[in-house]
């Protein structure tokens, strides 16, 4: 195999675009949707999670996902390429190349960014009430017990791959992470939202996004970064990458229109938050299907995802779980929808193209396994963290004051200085205001 410099350059750019999806894109998207007293905490969950996953991926995450000996189809041996030993160069010191002529170390960079964004997505479900220390304890547990094994099962030759449990029926299709990323993170967000509990005042007081321009900016950056996510999953600069790029944009455009139409019919108006959320819903939905549907199929898939996710985000009020930033409504519902619709819309194997139900059956089975696996591992991680000193929740006083001040001793805006926050809290609680606080 000869080094392909063009493919290598494409994959390095794609890895950088996927990292952009977390920092700053998701941080801005989630930060704008949060309340003003928790925006820095929300962004810190993306930054902190990125730091933890980046370290663990080099130490054993790559080996556990792709580099080691398969263990029961669930994970690879984390010790085979510990610290990337044996993943960078051969015995002669030459860089190892993959089947596309791209150095393996570039693949490590690309896959690391997928692990980073998956973990960060979960944080939106538990905004405004979670201790930062609890989050930083949860991240290494969850990425080890849930993400690395799931990546191996789907993309590393494990149980949900083309060589896995359902291969005799049909080869599962997950082009860029419908199961590994979105179903996995969406289920985790749901489990934590339910088990950690609702924000104080949820359902009784408004908890609106504090800065929608930030959210829209974050959504736009997510859209740009997602071309690395999906088109980069072709692993070289070729026609498949081009198809994935076009399908990604087509589905996203259709999803925005689908979401806004639902809003217009249901609420009488279309919103900027709906447009930004529709962007993400379309991106999520097309992720597993980007390489297997036609551009027209992508339009259909995107419109369905946008409409379904727009309806799904309201379920938290009906059933009483506090998915603060709609991780369940967008990522779980969108991931499930996109994964299942592959069975209908895949140009080569889909039911609507006359190929029978085999692909649809496999897509449903894979989605169910992914849901069950993430449910089990996330519940275990929640239990472990809940037994640590301090547990998951901010105290009532800290939640009232806001996670920014309580956890980080900072404020996002000058109008919310420490003194003014203390004054507001004191007045709300009908306590005397100190001279220092009044002066600040």
């Amino acid at each position: 195999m000869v080094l392909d410099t063009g493919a290598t350059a494409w994959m390095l750019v794609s890895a950088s675009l996927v990292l952009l999806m977390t920092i700053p894109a998701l941080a801005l998207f989630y930060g704008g949707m949060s309340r003003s007293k928790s925006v820095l905490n929300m962004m810190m969950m993306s930054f902190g999670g990125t730091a933890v996953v980046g370290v663990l991926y080099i130490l054993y995450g790559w080996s556990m996902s792709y580099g080691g000996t398969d263990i029961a189809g669930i994970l690879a041996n984390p010790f085979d390429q510990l610290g990337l030993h044996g993943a960078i160069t051969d015995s002669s010191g030459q860089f190892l190349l993959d089947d596309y002529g791209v150095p393996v170390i570039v693949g490590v960079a690309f896959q690391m960014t997928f692990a980073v964004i998956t973990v960060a997505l979960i944080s939106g479900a538990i905004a405004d009430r979670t201790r930062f220390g609890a989050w930083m304890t949860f991240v290494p547990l969850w990425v080890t017990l849930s993400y690395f094994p799931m990546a191996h099962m789907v993309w590393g030759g494990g149980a949900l791959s083309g060589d896995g449990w359902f291969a005799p029926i049909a080869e599962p299709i997950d082009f860029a992470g419908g199961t590994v990323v979105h179903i996995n993170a969406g289920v985790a967000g749901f489990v934590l939202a339910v088990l950690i509990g609702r924000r104080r005042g949820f359902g009784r007081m408004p908890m609106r996004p504090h800065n929608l321009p930030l959210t829209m900016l974050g959504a736009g950056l997510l859209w740009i970064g997602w071309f690395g996510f999906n088109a980069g999953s072709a692993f070289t600069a070729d026609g498949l990458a081009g198809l994935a790029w076009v399908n990604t944009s087509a589905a996203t455009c259709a999803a925005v229109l689908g979401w806004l139409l639902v809003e217009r019919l249901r609420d009488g108006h279309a919103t900027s938050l709906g447009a930004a959320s529709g962007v993400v819903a379309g991106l999520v939905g097309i992720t597993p299907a980007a390489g297997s549907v036609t551009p027209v199929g992508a339009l259909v898939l995107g419109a369905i995802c946008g409409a379904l996710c727009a309806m799904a985000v309201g379920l938290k009020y009906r059933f009483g779980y506090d998915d603060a930033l709609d991780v369940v409504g967008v990522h779980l519902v969108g991931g499930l929808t996109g994964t299942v619709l592959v069975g209908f819309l895949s140009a080569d194997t889909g039911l609507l193209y006359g190929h029978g139900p085999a692909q649809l059956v496999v897509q449903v089975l894979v989605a169910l396994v992914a849901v069950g696996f993430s449910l089990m591992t996330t519940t275990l991680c929640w239990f472990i963290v809940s037994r640590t000193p301090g547990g998951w929740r901010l105290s009532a006083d800290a939640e009232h004051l806001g996670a920014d001040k309580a956890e980080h001793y900072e404020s996002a805006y000058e109008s919310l200085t420490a003194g003014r926050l203390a004054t507001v809290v004191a007045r709300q609680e009908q306590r005397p205001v100190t001279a220092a606080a009044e002066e600040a």
Side-chain angles (χ1 to χ4, degrees), residues 33-277:
M33 290 178 69
S34 301
R35 290 186 284 180
S36 58
K37 62 183 181 180
S38 300
V39 55
L40 292 178
N41 177 258
M42 193 71 257
M43 299 175 109
M44 278 288 288
M45 292 172 92
S46 288
F47 276 73
T50 298
V52 171
V53 174
V55 170
L56 296 184
Y57 205 85
I58 290 173
L59 292 178
Y60 61 83
W62 166 261
S63 181
M64 193 172 176
S65 303
Y66 304 102
T69 305
D70 177 82
I71 300 175
I74 306 298
L75 69 155
N77 190 336
F79 301 105
D80 280 358
Q81 295 187 2
L82 192 67
L84 300 183
H85 177 73
I88 303 175
T89 59
D90 59 21
S91 58
S92 65
Q94 298 296 311
F95 282 102
L96 295 170
L97 302 179
D98 65 17
D99 294 338
Y100 297 94
V102 176
V104 172
I105 192 64
V106 176
V108 173
F110 184 65
Q111 297 296 345
M112 179 194 297
T113 61
F114 275 64
V116 164
I117 185 68
T118 305
V119 168
L121 290 174
I122 302 169
S123 63
I126 54 175
D128 290 334
R129 75 269 204 191
T130 307
R131 293 177 52 252
F132 186 67
W135 171 250
M136 294 294 280
T137 304
F138 168 78
V139 168
L141 290 170
W142 189 85
V143 77
T144 300
L145 296 177
S146 192
Y147 181 84
F148 296 155
M150 189 83 77
H152 176 74
M153 284 191 283
V154 175
W155 294 327
L160 304 182
S161 71
D163 300 318
W165 298 339
F166 307 121
I169 305 172
E171 181 176 349
I173 297 175
D174 187 356
F175 190 73
T179 50
V180 181
V181 178
H182 299 294
I183 293 175
N184 203 6
V187 170
F190 175 74
V191 170
L192 294 185
V194 171
L195 295 180
I196 293 173
R198 296 176 289 183
R199 289 168 290 180
R200 292 169 176 89
F202 175 76
R204 294 184 288 103
M205 57 188 300
M207 297 180 177
R208 299 186 183 94
H210 90 284
N211 192 325
L212 286 173
L214 278 186
T215 296
M216 296 193 78
L217 175 61
L221 288 171
L222 280 168
W223 194 339
I224 294 170
W226 224 285
F227 293 125
F229 198 77
N230 284 357
S233 292
F235 297 106
T236 190
D238 61 3
L240 182 59
L243 177 65
W245 197 106
V246 171
N247 283 344
T248 297
S249 206
T252 304
C253 292
V256 172
L257 297 178
W259 191 298
L260 295 181
L261 179 61
V262 168
E263 280 194 331
R264 179 67 178 174
L265 295 175
R266 181 187 61 199
D267 308 322
H269 50 264
T271 67
S272 60
L273 179 60
S277 299

